[in-house]
Amino acid sequence: MGWKRVKQHYRISHIVHVSGGNICIGSVVDLERMVINPEGVIIRRPMRSDIEFDRFVREMDADPQSLVRLVTAEDEFDAQRTVTVYTFAGGRILEKQCEARGWPGVTHDGMLMYDHLFSTDKAVTVVRAKADARSAARAIQTDIDNTQLELRKLKSGLSNAEAYLAQLEADYPQEDWLHG
């Protein structure tokens, strides 16, 4: 996917990255202010006017075939500037390539590089991944404990309601006493 080609061709100074298979253009405040699908169609346009956005949206609209060609072409990267970085997803350590490390840099495959999720040091990434997994496990265990406590409360409430109903049924066995 040609996220880099799009950024260069349209001289975009905003953050350009890939998310959910789409090319996203935005800022720190709104990373997906504009979204282009893999076929080169703009599927989300900027909601507010901005000189730079207005310029490149006009250029894209004026020549949609060029946008399609750029999006569907493979990006090219300078091997001399390429740096290996590591991140994690679930229980896997991922090796990626990029030209500029750190925020708001983007890997060759378009992933936005958050400083706390990417490192050039694989060992640092492993430590971060384990800490993240440990923290997630603790949070989920807390949720489970809270849910079990709430379930015990609900079961107690149900038991009380059933006991009240049984008492009422025993004390007032005939429903027609109301109509008497």
Side-chain angles (χ1 to χ4, degrees), residues 41-68:
V41 176
I42 300 171
I43 58 174
R44 181 178 177 193
R45 291 176 176 271
M47 302 277 273
R48 60 191 186 286
S49 185
D50 168 298
I51 292 171
E52 184 182 3
F53 268 90
D54 293 347
R55 176 191 52 77
F56 62 74
V57 169
R58 244 188 342 270
E59 291 174 15
M60 291 173 183
D61 287 342
D63 187 3
Q65 293 79 19
S66 287
L67 179 59
V68 170

Side-chain angles (χ1 to χ4, degrees), residues 155-165:
K155 284 182 176 181
S156 175
L158 175 60
S159 180
N160 289 339
E162 289 172 338
Y164 300 154
L165 179 59

Side-chain angles (χ1 to χ4, degrees), residues 94-106:
L94 306 175
E95 181 177 309
K96 304 270 183 182
Q97 308 297 315
C98 68
E99 288 182 329
R101 296 182 293 131
W103 174 262
V106 180

Side-chain angles (χ1 to χ4, degrees), residues 67-158:
L67 179 59
V68 170
R69 276 193 306 280
L70 292 165
V71 169
T72 57
E74 287 298 315
D75 280 323
E76 294 178 7
F77 300 94
D78 183 352
Q80 301 260 336
R81 293 184 51 211
T82 294
V83 177
T84 299
V85 291
Y86 300 92
T87 190
F88 57 93
R92 296 183 351 256
I93 303 298
L94 306 175
E95 181 177 309
K96 304 270 183 182
Q97 308 297 315
C98 68
E99 288 182 329
R101 296 182 293 131
W103 174 262
V106 180
T107 61
H108 288 356
D109 62 355
M111 283 185 75
L112 192 54
M113 291 188 291
Y114 295 92
D115 289 335
H116 68 287
L117 297 177
F118 282 83
S119 175
T120 56
D121 187 336
K122 188 175 185 178
V124 168
T125 302
V126 170
V127 168
R128 288 176 178 168
K130 286 180 179 181
D132 186 72
R134 195 174 295 112
S135 177
R138 276 195 305 265
I140 292 168
Q141 185 60 57
T142 298
D143 288 347
I144 289 169
D145 294 344
N146 291 338
T147 301
Q148 287 175 337
L149 178 61
E150 186 63 27
L151 183 59
R152 283 194 296 276
K153 289 178 184 176
L154 290 170
K155 284 182 176 181
S156 175
L158 175 60

